Amino acid sequence: MFASSAAPWDWTPILHESDWWWLPQTTAGTPGYALFRREFSLAHPLILHLALSADCRYRLYLDGAYTGCGPARGDLQHYAYDTYCLPVAPGKHILALEVVVWRGGWRTSASPWSELHAGGGLLFCGRGVHPETGKEELRLDLDSQWLAKQDGGRAPREWSQAWGENILIPAPPMDEVDFQRHDSFWNTPQANPQGWCAPLPLARACVKTTLRTDPYSPWLLVPRTIRRMAQTPWPIQGLISQEGVLQVHLRQGLLQVQCPAGKARLILDLGRNQTSLVHVTGQGGKGTLRLAYAEDLFDEKGEKADRRCPQGTIGERGYADLLRLPAQSPWQYHSFWYRTGRFWELSLELQEEMTLVLWAEFQTYDFPPWKSFSYPQDPTLEKIYQVGIHTLQCCAHEHFEDCPYYEQLQYVGDTRIQALISYLATGDDSLGRQALRHFHWSQTPQGLTQSRYPSAFPQYIPGFSLFWILMVQDHFQLFQDPQVVQEHWEGMNAVLEYFHQRRTPQGLVGCVGHWNVTDWADGWIGGKSDRESDLPETILNLFYVLACRAMGQWEKEGWTPPGGIRKGWSRRGEEVLQAVQRLCWDPQRALFQDVPGKPWYSLHAQAVAILAEALPQEVDPKIWLAKVVQDQTLIQPTLYFSFYLFEALRKTGNRQLFLPMLEPWRRLVEMGYTTFPEIPSPSSRSECHGWSCAPVYVLLQGDILP
């Protein structure tokens, strides 16, 4: 049962008088799982209205049934609380929550980079009202009537234990569960009564809009602005291989296994790469079950196997949960966070007979239905569209993500493409609008936004701050909402001032510091078009021109907030454009150089020059671009930056060039990819990367196909 998020009243005064609570015997910040429960009885039906938040994250259950999770990702200055509306029948009931603490700094597995927390705490307000009169008849606020305890049998796994790769990754950690100490039925009436005690108040809650003094706690509360994630059953598609004496049945997508004592292994195929919640119930075993996940299988040399006819193993090359099974007793495991991969490997070492049932749920952000695309003249285009949409769904949960297997971080460069596609394909702007706010929250006093946010490990790619302004422009052009422009006006001004202050005497934006990556193109050191020379970059200057034009247009049309200062960004942008034309155009080759005065050329610079309308007046953009894209001596864009090349094709009307440029995506479909990878290579690190979906955006536009 999924709950409505509607709130019947203003929660602000209630939260303002509420407390955060925690376990009395546990220091806040200790990694692990904390459990909370409250039993109550009703003589007649009521509507439960709840407001809650947790640090780090919670999962909510009513009578043992999953009801929701949160809070939505943000930061301590904008800490989300959730609201629920639950109809409850007469009788006995149990509200229960499990709260995970991921803690320990960015160099440990206990702290995913995309989570910003203080470490340990639960806020819970509950009101029961009569469904007809609306009269309050019950309070379930977290207090000493609740029971709480530390889950001594479940903990995050260190990455050094979760897989064999010698690297730490930013994604949330895997689990290790010892069913001799973990009570699988803690949220039901059958829970073990031992170890429970009353929680203790930790600190007074602070609502951001009402705080007028020093905060009483580190969490400044704001209401959730996005829907909760959706999860739908996904049938396991097939059994790749099995080792050991096993009775295996795959019925209607559920795996049923009987296994005697000894060692055994199963490899399952979900049929597509995806983000899944994992569910396993079983009986006995007295041994271990390692559940490993991977986007692809690996051959004997450790290389990724053929996706069209998958064979191979996962082993230590995939990260894994570890379950320590009890003797004879029933047990169950439900992953707290999603796991990414097409293939699952079950490795068993048992001392007793075991039975289990395993199934999956596909989890993604709860978008409205996605538009379909039909093109009978070329069915491969339909497949590219379908794979692209699925890729985006796997890269969208509580915010957009670059890749779900490794990082799960919201980068500006990736998010711009993902947000645009979601706008056109669903009509929904909730996740995109949240992204605009997230990047604004990340802004430093110097003006730059962080390149990814939320992130406990700050990173700065200056060009991405310009992309943020272009994201605001994208939203405004599609939704015509001046409030979005006004909300971010001062932040966008600060970004452009950062670049303006770094102009050289020749008029170009010079060295801007940090990591000004553009694309993972062959021939560029660290993805930078200046080859680490710290010279002015043509591409960066042209994006600055585009951002200045956006701001200048809003200034001209009066979309500035009341009292907003107009700085003449159109003029400043045109000054830089003239410098680019004067210093970066090579008349001999009729190309823009990547940096002034150097014989370095890329298709990237030429594409952005089209978008910025930088060509000399005597050059016909359509004819020139049609010639330029045939020049293989230029540095070529990867899947990601092809978005800007496609936009240049659309701007010049070169429709005939689009289909030939889809060859990399055609090959990926033919090779059996079910999500698009980070780069078009069989050995690509990530096989699901939202930035690789540019063709979907073009196909949705409907103006480029013959």
Short mmCIF file of all heavy atoms in Angstrom, two decimals, residues 156-208:
data_model
loop_
_atom_site.label_atom_id
_atom_site.label_comp_id
_atom_site.label_asym_id
_atom_site.label_seq_id
_atom_site.Cartn_x
_atom_site.Cartn_y
_atom_site.Cartn_z
N PRO A 156 26.12 -1.93 7.37
CA PRO A 156 26.70 -1.69 6.05
C PRO A 156 28.02 -2.45 5.89
O PRO A 156 28.79 -2.58 6.84
CB PRO A 156 26.94 -0.17 6.03
CG PRO A 156 26.11 0.37 7.15
CD PRO A 156 26.04 -0.70 8.17
N ARG A 157 28.28 -2.92 4.67
CA ARG A 157 29.52 -3.64 4.37
C ARG A 157 30.57 -2.67 3.86
O ARG A 157 30.28 -1.78 3.05
CB ARG A 157 29.31 -4.71 3.32
CG ARG A 157 28.39 -5.84 3.70
CD ARG A 157 28.49 -6.97 2.69
NE ARG A 157 29.69 -7.77 2.90
CZ ARG A 157 30.16 -8.66 2.04
NH1 ARG A 157 29.55 -8.82 0.86
NH2 ARG A 157 31.24 -9.36 2.30
N GLU A 158 31.79 -2.84 4.30
CA GLU A 158 32.89 -2.08 3.72
C GLU A 158 33.06 -2.50 2.26
O GLU A 158 32.89 -3.67 1.90
CB GLU A 158 34.18 -2.36 4.50
CG GLU A 158 34.17 -1.84 5.92
CD GLU A 158 34.19 -0.32 5.98
OE1 GLU A 158 34.71 0.30 5.04
OE2 GLU A 158 33.67 0.24 6.96
N TRP A 159 33.42 -1.53 1.42
CA TRP A 159 33.57 -1.86 0.00
C TRP A 159 34.68 -2.88 -0.22
O TRP A 159 34.63 -3.68 -1.16
CB TRP A 159 33.84 -0.59 -0.81
CG TRP A 159 32.59 0.17 -1.09
CD1 TRP A 159 32.26 1.41 -0.64
CD2 TRP A 159 31.46 -0.27 -1.87
NE1 TRP A 159 31.00 1.77 -1.07
CE2 TRP A 159 30.50 0.76 -1.83
CE3 TRP A 159 31.18 -1.44 -2.57
CZ2 TRP A 159 29.27 0.65 -2.47
CZ3 TRP A 159 29.95 -1.55 -3.22
CH2 TRP A 159 29.02 -0.50 -3.17
N SER A 160 35.68 -2.89 0.63
CA SER A 160 36.74 -3.88 0.50
C SER A 160 36.23 -5.30 0.71
O SER A 160 36.84 -6.27 0.26
CB SER A 160 37.86 -3.58 1.51
OG SER A 160 37.34 -3.62 2.84
N GLN A 161 35.08 -5.41 1.38
CA GLN A 161 34.47 -6.72 1.59
C GLN A 161 33.36 -7.00 0.59
O GLN A 161 33.05 -8.16 0.29
CB GLN A 161 33.89 -6.79 3.01
CG GLN A 161 34.93 -6.60 4.10
CD GLN A 161 34.28 -6.43 5.47
OE1 GLN A 161 33.10 -6.08 5.57
NE2 GLN A 161 35.05 -6.69 6.51
N ALA A 162 32.75 -5.95 0.06
CA ALA A 162 31.58 -6.12 -0.79
C ALA A 162 31.93 -6.56 -2.21
O ALA A 162 31.09 -7.13 -2.91
CB ALA A 162 30.77 -4.83 -0.84
N TRP A 163 33.16 -6.29 -2.65
CA TRP A 163 33.59 -6.75 -3.97
C TRP A 163 35.10 -6.77 -4.05
O TRP A 163 35.79 -6.32 -3.14
CB TRP A 163 32.96 -5.91 -5.08
CG TRP A 163 33.42 -4.47 -5.21
CD1 TRP A 163 34.03 -3.69 -4.27
CD2 TRP A 163 33.28 -3.66 -6.37
NE1 TRP A 163 34.26 -2.43 -4.77
CE2 TRP A 163 33.81 -2.39 -6.06
CE3 TRP A 163 32.75 -3.86 -7.64
CZ2 TRP A 163 33.83 -1.33 -6.98
CZ3 TRP A 163 32.77 -2.81 -8.54
CH2 TRP A 163 33.30 -1.57 -8.21
N GLY A 164 35.61 -7.28 -5.14
CA GLY A 164 37.05 -7.46 -5.26
C GLY A 164 37.79 -6.31 -5.90
O GLY A 164 39.02 -6.34 -5.98
N GLU A 165 37.06 -5.28 -6.38
CA GLU A 165 37.72 -4.14 -6.98
C GLU A 165 38.35 -3.28 -5.87
O GLU A 165 37.72 -3.01 -4.85
CB GLU A 165 36.72 -3.30 -7.78
CG GLU A 165 36.05 -4.06 -8.90
CD GLU A 165 37.01 -4.44 -10.01
OE1 GLU A 165 38.01 -3.73 -10.19
OE2 GLU A 165 36.76 -5.46 -10.68
N ASN A 166 39.57 -2.84 -6.09
CA ASN A 166 40.30 -2.09 -5.07
C ASN A 166 40.00 -0.60 -5.16
O ASN A 166 40.91 0.23 -5.25
CB ASN A 166 41.80 -2.34 -5.21
CG ASN A 166 42.58 -1.77 -4.04
OD1 ASN A 166 42.06 -1.66 -2.93
ND2 ASN A 166 43.83 -1.39 -4.29
N ILE A 167 38.73 -0.26 -5.17
CA ILE A 167 38.34 1.14 -5.20
C ILE A 167 37.12 1.34 -4.30
O ILE A 167 36.33 0.42 -4.10
CB ILE A 167 38.00 1.64 -6.63
CG1 ILE A 167 36.86 0.81 -7.23
CG2 ILE A 167 39.22 1.65 -7.53
CD1 ILE A 167 36.35 1.35 -8.55
N LEU A 168 37.00 2.54 -3.76
CA LEU A 168 35.78 2.95 -3.08
C LEU A 168 34.89 3.64 -4.09
O LEU A 168 35.37 4.35 -4.96
CB LEU A 168 36.10 3.91 -1.93
CG LEU A 168 37.02 3.38 -0.83
CD1 LEU A 168 37.35 4.49 0.14
CD2 LEU A 168 36.37 2.22 -0.10
N ILE A 169 33.59 3.43 -4.00
CA ILE A 169 32.69 4.09 -4.92
C ILE A 169 31.67 4.90 -4.13
O ILE A 169 31.41 4.61 -2.97
CB ILE A 169 32.01 3.09 -5.87
CG1 ILE A 169 31.12 2.12 -5.10
CG2 ILE A 169 33.03 2.35 -6.70
CD1 ILE A 169 30.34 1.18 -5.99
N PRO A 170 31.09 5.94 -4.75
CA PRO A 170 30.19 6.84 -4.02
C PRO A 170 28.81 6.28 -3.72
O PRO A 170 28.06 6.89 -2.96
CB PRO A 170 30.07 8.06 -4.95
CG PRO A 170 31.24 7.96 -5.87
CD PRO A 170 31.46 6.51 -6.05
N ALA A 171 28.42 5.15 -4.30
CA ALA A 171 27.07 4.63 -4.10
C ALA A 171 26.88 4.16 -2.66
O ALA A 171 27.84 3.84 -1.97
CB ALA A 171 26.82 3.47 -5.07
N PRO A 172 25.63 4.11 -2.18
CA PRO A 172 25.37 3.57 -0.84
C PRO A 172 25.90 2.15 -0.71
O PRO A 172 25.93 1.39 -1.67
CB PRO A 172 23.85 3.61 -0.72
CG PRO A 172 23.44 4.70 -1.66
CD PRO A 172 24.40 4.62 -2.81
N PRO A 173 26.30 1.77 0.50
CA PRO A 173 26.95 0.47 0.71
C PRO A 173 25.98 -0.70 0.65
O PRO A 173 24.77 -0.54 0.74
CB PRO A 173 27.57 0.61 2.10
CG PRO A 173 26.68 1.59 2.79
CD PRO A 173 26.25 2.56 1.74
N MET A 174 26.55 -1.88 0.53
CA MET A 174 25.79 -3.12 0.60
C MET A 174 25.52 -3.47 2.07
O MET A 174 26.00 -2.81 2.97
CB MET A 174 26.57 -4.25 -0.07
CG MET A 174 26.93 -4.00 -1.51
SD MET A 174 25.49 -3.95 -2.61
CE MET A 174 25.38 -2.18 -2.90
N ASP A 175 24.77 -4.55 2.27
CA ASP A 175 24.39 -4.98 3.62
C ASP A 175 25.08 -6.29 3.99
O ASP A 175 25.32 -7.15 3.13
CB ASP A 175 22.88 -5.21 3.71
CG ASP A 175 22.10 -3.91 3.86
OD1 ASP A 175 22.64 -2.97 4.45
OD2 ASP A 175 20.95 -3.87 3.38
N GLU A 176 25.32 -6.45 5.28
CA GLU A 176 25.66 -7.75 5.85
C GLU A 176 24.66 -8.03 6.96
O GLU A 176 24.49 -7.22 7.88
CB GLU A 176 27.08 -7.76 6.40
CG GLU A 176 27.48 -9.12 6.96
CD GLU A 176 28.97 -9.26 7.22
OE1 GLU A 176 29.74 -8.48 6.65
OE2 GLU A 176 29.35 -10.17 8.00
N VAL A 177 23.98 -9.16 6.86
CA VAL A 177 22.91 -9.50 7.79
C VAL A 177 23.22 -10.84 8.44
O VAL A 177 23.46 -11.83 7.74
CB VAL A 177 21.54 -9.55 7.09
CG1 VAL A 177 20.43 -9.80 8.10
CG2 VAL A 177 21.27 -8.27 6.31
N ASP A 178 23.20 -10.87 9.76
CA ASP A 178 23.38 -12.10 10.53
C ASP A 178 22.03 -12.44 11.16
O ASP A 178 21.58 -11.79 12.11
CB ASP A 178 24.43 -11.90 11.61
CG ASP A 178 24.72 -13.17 12.39
OD1 ASP A 178 23.96 -14.15 12.24
OD2 ASP A 178 25.69 -13.19 13.16
N PHE A 179 21.35 -13.46 10.62
CA PHE A 179 20.00 -13.78 11.07
C PHE A 179 19.98 -14.46 12.44
O PHE A 179 18.89 -14.67 12.99
CB PHE A 179 19.30 -14.65 10.03
CG PHE A 179 18.91 -13.88 8.80
CD1 PHE A 179 19.65 -14.00 7.63
CD2 PHE A 179 17.82 -13.02 8.81
CE1 PHE A 179 19.30 -13.29 6.50
CE2 PHE A 179 17.46 -12.31 7.68
CZ PHE A 179 18.21 -12.43 6.52
N GLN A 180 21.15 -14.77 13.01
CA GLN A 180 21.17 -15.22 14.39
C GLN A 180 20.89 -14.05 15.34
O GLN A 180 20.42 -14.25 16.46
CB GLN A 180 22.55 -15.82 14.73
CG GLN A 180 22.91 -17.04 13.90
CD GLN A 180 22.10 -18.27 14.27
OE1 GLN A 180 21.30 -18.25 15.20
NE2 GLN A 180 22.29 -19.36 13.53
N ARG A 181 21.16 -12.82 14.85
CA ARG A 181 20.96 -11.63 15.70
C ARG A 181 19.93 -10.67 15.12
O ARG A 181 19.42 -9.81 15.83
CB ARG A 181 22.30 -10.90 15.88
CG ARG A 181 23.34 -11.72 16.63
CD ARG A 181 24.60 -10.91 16.87
NE ARG A 181 25.25 -10.56 15.62
CZ ARG A 181 26.08 -9.51 15.47
NH1 ARG A 181 26.28 -8.69 16.49
NH2 ARG A 181 26.65 -9.28 14.31
N HIS A 182 19.65 -10.77 13.83
CA HIS A 182 18.66 -9.90 13.20
C HIS A 182 17.29 -10.57 13.23
O HIS A 182 17.13 -11.73 12.82
CB HIS A 182 19.04 -9.60 11.76
CG HIS A 182 17.96 -8.94 10.96
ND1 HIS A 182 17.53 -7.66 11.19
CD2 HIS A 182 17.20 -9.41 9.92
CE1 HIS A 182 16.56 -7.35 10.35
NE2 HIS A 182 16.34 -8.39 9.56
N ASP A 183 16.28 -9.84 13.70
CA ASP A 183 14.91 -10.34 13.75
C ASP A 183 14.20 -9.92 12.46
O ASP A 183 13.88 -8.75 12.26
CB ASP A 183 14.19 -9.76 14.97
CG ASP A 183 12.74 -10.23 15.09
OD1 ASP A 183 12.33 -11.09 14.28
OD2 ASP A 183 12.04 -9.74 15.99
N SER A 184 13.95 -10.88 11.58
CA SER A 184 13.32 -10.58 10.30
C SER A 184 11.91 -10.01 10.45
O SER A 184 11.39 -9.37 9.55
CB SER A 184 13.24 -11.85 9.44
OG SER A 184 14.52 -12.28 9.04
N PHE A 185 11.30 -10.26 11.61
CA PHE A 185 9.90 -9.90 11.79
C PHE A 185 9.74 -8.81 12.84
O PHE A 185 8.73 -8.73 13.55
CB PHE A 185 9.12 -11.17 12.16
CG PHE A 185 9.34 -12.29 11.19
CD1 PHE A 185 10.26 -13.29 11.47
CD2 PHE A 185 8.68 -12.33 9.98
CE1 PHE A 185 10.48 -14.32 10.56
CE2 PHE A 185 8.90 -13.35 9.06
CZ PHE A 185 9.80 -14.34 9.35
N TRP A 186 10.72 -7.92 12.91
CA TRP A 186 10.75 -6.84 13.91
C TRP A 186 9.57 -5.89 13.78
O TRP A 186 9.18 -5.24 14.75
CB TRP A 186 12.05 -6.06 13.78
CG TRP A 186 12.18 -5.32 12.47
CD1 TRP A 186 12.68 -5.79 11.31
CD2 TRP A 186 11.76 -3.98 12.23
NE1 TRP A 186 12.59 -4.85 10.32
CE2 TRP A 186 12.03 -3.71 10.86
CE3 TRP A 186 11.17 -2.98 13.00
CZ2 TRP A 186 11.75 -2.48 10.27
CZ3 TRP A 186 10.89 -1.76 12.41
CH2 TRP A 186 11.18 -1.52 11.05
N ASN A 187 9.00 -5.77 12.57
CA ASN A 187 7.91 -4.81 12.34
C ASN A 187 6.53 -5.47 12.34
O ASN A 187 5.57 -4.91 11.81
CB ASN A 187 8.14 -4.08 11.01
CG ASN A 187 8.27 -5.03 9.83
OD1 ASN A 187 8.16 -6.24 9.99
ND2 ASN A 187 8.50 -4.48 8.66
N THR A 188 6.42 -6.65 12.94
CA THR A 188 5.15 -7.38 13.01
C THR A 188 4.86 -7.75 14.46
O THR A 188 5.73 -7.63 15.34
CB THR A 188 5.22 -8.66 12.16
OG1 THR A 188 6.08 -9.61 12.82
CG2 THR A 188 5.76 -8.37 10.76
N PRO A 189 3.64 -8.24 14.76
CA PRO A 189 3.34 -8.68 16.14
C PRO A 189 4.22 -9.84 16.60
O PRO A 189 4.32 -10.10 17.80
CB PRO A 189 1.87 -9.12 16.05
CG PRO A 189 1.31 -8.33 14.90
CD PRO A 189 2.43 -8.24 13.92
N GLN A 190 4.87 -10.55 15.66
CA GLN A 190 5.71 -11.69 16.02
C GLN A 190 7.14 -11.28 16.39
O GLN A 190 8.02 -12.11 16.56
CB GLN A 190 5.79 -12.69 14.85
CG GLN A 190 4.49 -13.44 14.58
CD GLN A 190 3.43 -12.57 13.92
OE1 GLN A 190 3.73 -11.80 13.00
NE2 GLN A 190 2.19 -12.67 14.40
N ALA A 191 7.38 -9.99 16.55
CA ALA A 191 8.73 -9.51 16.84
C ALA A 191 9.24 -10.07 18.16
O ALA A 191 8.48 -10.26 19.13
CB ALA A 191 8.73 -7.98 16.90
N ASN A 192 10.55 -10.31 18.20
CA ASN A 192 11.21 -10.73 19.44
C ASN A 192 11.10 -9.59 20.46
O ASN A 192 11.53 -8.47 20.17
CB ASN A 192 12.67 -11.05 19.15
CG ASN A 192 13.39 -11.65 20.35
OD1 ASN A 192 13.02 -11.41 21.50
ND2 ASN A 192 14.42 -12.43 20.07
N PRO A 193 10.55 -9.83 21.65
CA PRO A 193 10.35 -8.73 22.61
C PRO A 193 11.61 -8.27 23.31
O PRO A 193 11.59 -7.24 24.00
CB PRO A 193 9.36 -9.34 23.62
CG PRO A 193 9.64 -10.81 23.58
CD PRO A 193 10.02 -11.12 22.16
N GLN A 194 12.71 -8.97 23.15
CA GLN A 194 13.92 -8.64 23.87
C GLN A 194 14.66 -7.47 23.23
O GLN A 194 14.71 -7.34 22.01
CB GLN A 194 14.85 -9.85 23.95
CG GLN A 194 14.26 -11.03 24.71
CD GLN A 194 15.21 -12.21 24.75
OE1 GLN A 194 16.21 -12.25 24.06
NE2 GLN A 194 14.89 -13.20 25.60
N GLY A 195 15.25 -6.63 24.08
CA GLY A 195 16.14 -5.57 23.62
C GLY A 195 15.48 -4.25 23.33
O GLY A 195 16.17 -3.25 23.07
N TRP A 196 14.15 -4.19 23.36
CA TRP A 196 13.46 -2.94 23.07
C TRP A 196 13.42 -2.05 24.32
O TRP A 196 13.29 -2.52 25.44
CB TRP A 196 12.03 -3.19 22.60
CG TRP A 196 11.95 -3.92 21.29
CD1 TRP A 196 11.91 -5.27 21.11
CD2 TRP A 196 11.90 -3.34 19.99
NE1 TRP A 196 11.84 -5.57 19.76
CE2 TRP A 196 11.83 -4.40 19.05
CE3 TRP A 196 11.90 -2.03 19.51
CZ2 TRP A 196 11.76 -4.20 17.68
CZ3 TRP A 196 11.82 -1.82 18.14
CH2 TRP A 196 11.76 -2.89 17.24
N CYS A 197 13.52 -0.73 24.12
CA CYS A 197 13.42 0.23 25.21
C CYS A 197 12.88 1.54 24.66
O CYS A 197 12.73 1.71 23.45
CB CYS A 197 14.77 0.46 25.88
SG CYS A 197 16.03 1.13 24.77
N ALA A 198 12.56 2.46 25.54
CA ALA A 198 12.01 3.75 25.11
C ALA A 198 13.13 4.62 24.53
O ALA A 198 14.24 4.66 25.06
CB ALA A 198 11.36 4.46 26.29
N PRO A 199 12.86 5.33 23.42
CA PRO A 199 13.85 6.27 22.88
C PRO A 199 13.94 7.51 23.76
O PRO A 199 13.10 7.74 24.63
CB PRO A 199 13.30 6.59 21.50
CG PRO A 199 11.82 6.44 21.64
CD PRO A 199 11.62 5.32 22.63
N LEU A 200 14.97 8.30 23.49
CA LEU A 200 15.17 9.54 24.23
C LEU A 200 15.18 10.73 23.28
O LEU A 200 15.65 10.61 22.14
CB LEU A 200 16.50 9.50 25.00
CG LEU A 200 16.59 8.51 26.17
CD1 LEU A 200 17.98 8.57 26.79
CD2 LEU A 200 15.51 8.79 27.21
N PRO A 201 14.67 11.90 23.74
CA PRO A 201 14.71 13.09 22.87
C PRO A 201 16.15 13.51 22.61
O PRO A 201 17.00 13.45 23.51
CB PRO A 201 13.94 14.13 23.67
CG PRO A 201 13.98 13.67 25.08
CD PRO A 201 14.03 12.17 25.03
N LEU A 202 16.39 13.92 21.39
CA LEU A 202 17.74 14.28 20.96
C LEU A 202 17.90 15.79 20.82
O LEU A 202 18.89 16.37 21.29
CB LEU A 202 18.03 13.59 19.61
CG LEU A 202 19.44 13.65 19.05
CD1 LEU A 202 20.42 12.94 19.98
CD2 LEU A 202 19.47 12.99 17.66
N ALA A 203 16.94 16.46 20.17
CA ALA A 203 17.03 17.90 19.95
C ALA A 203 15.69 18.40 19.42
O ALA A 203 14.92 17.64 18.83
CB ALA A 203 18.14 18.24 18.96
N ARG A 204 15.41 19.67 19.62
CA ARG A 204 14.18 20.28 19.12
C ARG A 204 14.28 20.47 17.60
O ARG A 204 15.34 20.82 17.06
CB ARG A 204 13.95 21.63 19.80
CG ARG A 204 12.69 22.39 19.38
CD ARG A 204 11.41 21.58 19.50
NE ARG A 204 11.15 21.06 20.83
CZ ARG A 204 10.38 21.67 21.73
NH1 ARG A 204 9.81 22.84 21.44
NH2 ARG A 204 10.17 21.12 22.90
N ALA A 205 13.17 20.23 16.92
CA ALA A 205 13.13 20.39 15.47
C ALA A 205 13.17 21.87 15.08
O ALA A 205 12.70 22.73 15.83
CB ALA A 205 11.88 19.73 14.90
N CYS A 206 13.71 22.15 13.90
CA CYS A 206 13.80 23.52 13.38
C CYS A 206 13.19 23.55 11.98
O CYS A 206 13.67 22.84 11.08
CB CYS A 206 15.25 23.98 13.30
SG CYS A 206 16.11 24.04 14.87
N VAL A 207 12.15 24.33 11.80
CA VAL A 207 11.55 24.53 10.47
C VAL A 207 12.23 25.74 9.85
O VAL A 207 12.28 26.82 10.45
CB VAL A 207 10.04 24.74 10.57
CG1 VAL A 207 9.43 24.95 9.19
CG2 VAL A 207 9.39 23.55 11.27
N LYS A 208 12.77 25.57 8.67
CA LYS A 208 13.61 26.61 8.07
C LYS A 208 12.89 27.95 7.95
O LYS A 208 13.47 29.00 8.22
CB LYS A 208 14.10 26.15 6.69
CG LYS A 208 15.12 27.10 6.04
CD LYS A 208 15.64 26.53 4.75
CE LYS A 208 16.66 27.47 4.11
NZ LYS A 208 17.90 27.58 4.91
#
